[in-house]
Amino acid sequence: MDDPLLELNKAGSEQPEARNSSDGARQRFVLGETGFNEVPRKYRKFYRKWQGEGDSLALNEVLCPVCLVVIRSSRELRVGDRVYCMPCMSRLIVTREDGILLAKVVY
Amino acid sequence: MSETVEPHELSQEDFLAEVHSFQFWLEAVDGYLGGTSFGCDPDLPEQTFAGEELEFLITTLCNYCIGERAALEASSGMIRFAPDPEAAIFLATQVVDEGRHLEVFVHRLKMLGVSDPWTEIDQRANHSLLKFKDRLLEFVDQRDWEASLLVQNVILEAMEFSAFQAHAASADPITAAVLTGVVKDERRHMGFGENDLGRKLLHAPHTRSRLNQIARELNTLALSTFSEIAESLGLQGETDVSANYLATMDRLGFPHG
């Protein structure tokens, strides 16, 4: 089985849907459907399946360490941001380790 | 047609109320179970199995049924002593999931030619798993929320999640589809267990050593079962059924080794 956390060390970040904000602050992202179907329709754009080797996280994405689903936001994520993983009901805080953005569960 | 809602902007209270609700469950499972019959596309082709391969698959499915029956009986019993109404409602959705899992695995056994699945399940039962089930139900009978949650939603669900995911990757198309749907349900059960237990431990750190003792006793039983399953399916070497569980225990602050 692919280990997403190991893959992250190899993969770069891409943000194909990114739009630069006019004030140079956080980038905003227009989220599209990803085919993820494990949450109600209105939330589906905010999650996607981790594709394993060759996959990479964009600036608005972090991996849930509990269930290994990719969590997406409509804005660039930064250290200290709070995100929720609805598929496994976890509250997470964005952290940085070895230069990579990770999500840490907060109970 | 439905509006998009940024989930990350919800308050924690609103988030938990949303994800623990029956409405959330209904709309979630509709996404991946809508249009299926017994957990898979009814038009999927059946594979031809060699003799030994079929035997291993039947034994594996029988033991999956024991795990699901344990979770069905335990989660339904836990509703009576759930700490709050939202946890009780969530457990009601878990009961439905576990009942469905048991049904789809039994149905798969019938498709594979097992005429009396319930007798077959008894005959092929792994003794460690039966002992695990008995201990889990003892905690439920004692109305011990933390122990029940640890044993069912952390140990059992985390190991099932790894085993089912690995099995789905190499299984025949029908078994793979059934397992993939079950894994999607397991995400909720596993996450509920870790998060609820994590919150409880913050407020009752003294329970940690007792729970650690329980984990050491019970994880050995579950691990031996799922390792045997992985070996019989030829998954060993590729799958560490304990990795997900150990990562969960690590996040919860339990020592292991």
Side-chain angles (χ1 to χ4, degrees), chain A residues 37-38 40 42-46 65-67 71-74 82-84 87-91 105 107, chain B residues 3-8 10-12 15 18-19 24 27-28 31-32 90 184 187-188 191 194-195 198 251:
Chain A
N37 60 6
E38 298 179 35
K42 63 188 172 187
Y43 301 123
R44 288 183 191 166
K45 290 177 183 174
F46 295 93
V66 177
C67 72
I71 302 165
R72 311 170 81 216
S73 170
S74 58
R82 180 197 61 198
V83 291
Y84 291 116
C88 73
M89 315 180 172
S90 299
R91 179 170 64 125
V105 191
Y107 300 122
Chain B
E3 58 173 328
T4 297
V5 177
E6 174 102 24
H8 314 307
L10 295 170
S11 68
Q12 188 186 5
F15 168 72
E18 175 76 355
V19 295
F24 179 91
E27 293 178 42
Y32 54 92
F90 172 79
K184 291 178 179 186
R187 277 192 222 286
R188 290 190 297 275
E194 176 176 341
N195 285 287
R251 286 191 297 271

Side-chain angles (χ1 to χ4, degrees), chain B:
Chain B
M1 194 169 82
S2 62
E3 58 173 328
T4 297
V5 177
E6 174 102 24
H8 314 307
E9 290 175 1
L10 295 170
S11 68
Q12 188 186 5
E13 192 179 42
D14 288 344
F15 168 72
L16 290 178
E18 175 76 355
V19 295
H20 290 168
S21 72
F22 228 103
Q23 186 61 37
F24 179 91
W25 175 87
L26 274 172
E27 293 178 42
V29 297
D30 184 54
Y32 54 92
L33 294 178
T36 64
S37 174
F38 292 99
C40 67
D41 177 346
D43 296 328
L44 277 176
E46 184 62 278
Q47 181 179 306
T48 307
F49 296 93
E52 191 181 54
E53 193 185 5
L54 181 61
E55 280 302 301
F56 285 149
L57 179 56
I58 290 172
T59 300
T60 298
L61 290 170
C62 284
N63 281 291
Y64 289 171
C65 286
I66 292 168
E68 297 301 339
R69 186 153 185 188
L72 174 62
E73 292 176 24
S75 53
S76 57
M78 288 166 69
I79 292 175
R80 288 198 65 198
F81 56 97
D84 57 73
E86 284 170 357
I89 290 170
F90 172 79
L91 279 171
T93 70
Q94 184 171 345
V95 171
V96 178
D97 289 334
E98 307 297 1
R100 187 186 79 81
H101 299 171
L102 185 57
E103 181 177 83
V104 295
F105 288 142
V106 166
H107 185 260
R108 184 71 186 120
L109 284 169
K110 287 180 182 168
M111 290 175 80
L112 293 169
V114 178
S115 56
D116 182 359
W118 302 108
T119 302
E120 203 71 35
I121 291 165
D122 287 343
Q123 287 172 349
R124 294 183 187 238
N126 179 300
H127 292 289
S128 297
L129 190 55
L130 289 177
K131 199 169 168 192
F132 181 95
K133 180 186 174 189
D134 288 344
R135 290 290 283 135
L136 168 58
L137 294 178
E138 279 171 27
F139 292 123
V140 174
D141 288 343
Q142 292 160 10
R143 301 170 74 101
D144 185 336
W145 176 258
E146 285 82 8
S148 304
L149 202 61
L150 171 71
V151 175
Q152 174 180 263
N153 287 59
V154 175
I155 300 176
L156 181 60
E157 299 285 355
M159 290 198 199
E160 282 184 341
F161 184 78
S162 299
F164 293 174
Q165 214 170 26
H167 187 183
S170 64
D172 64 276
I174 296 176
T175 305
V178 169
L179 285 167
T180 300
V182 171
V183 164
K184 291 178 179 186
D185 294 335
E186 305 292 21
R187 277 192 222 286
R188 290 190 297 275
H189 309 160
M190 204 172 64
F192 175 79
E194 176 176 341
N195 285 287
D196 194 86
L197 197 58
R199 288 190 291 271
K200 294 281 181 299
L201 285 169
L202 286 179
H203 298 108
H206 56 279
T207 58
R208 195 177 288 277
S209 65
R210 182 177 75 89
L211 293 177
N212 198 37
Q213 275 189 331
I214 293 169
R216 281 174 187 275
E217 176 201 345
L218 275 287
N219 67 22
T220 312
L221 296 173
L223 187 57
S224 76
T225 304
F226 287 104
S227 297
E228 250 178 63
I229 287 172
E231 192 178 350
S232 72
L233 293 170
L235 302 173
Q236 258 193 350
E238 303 161 36
T239 309
D240 179 358
V241 289
S242 67
N244 184 37
Y245 161 71
L246 291 177
T248 306
M249 292 300 273
D250 198 40
R251 286 191 297 271
L252 286 167
F254 286 103
H256 56 76

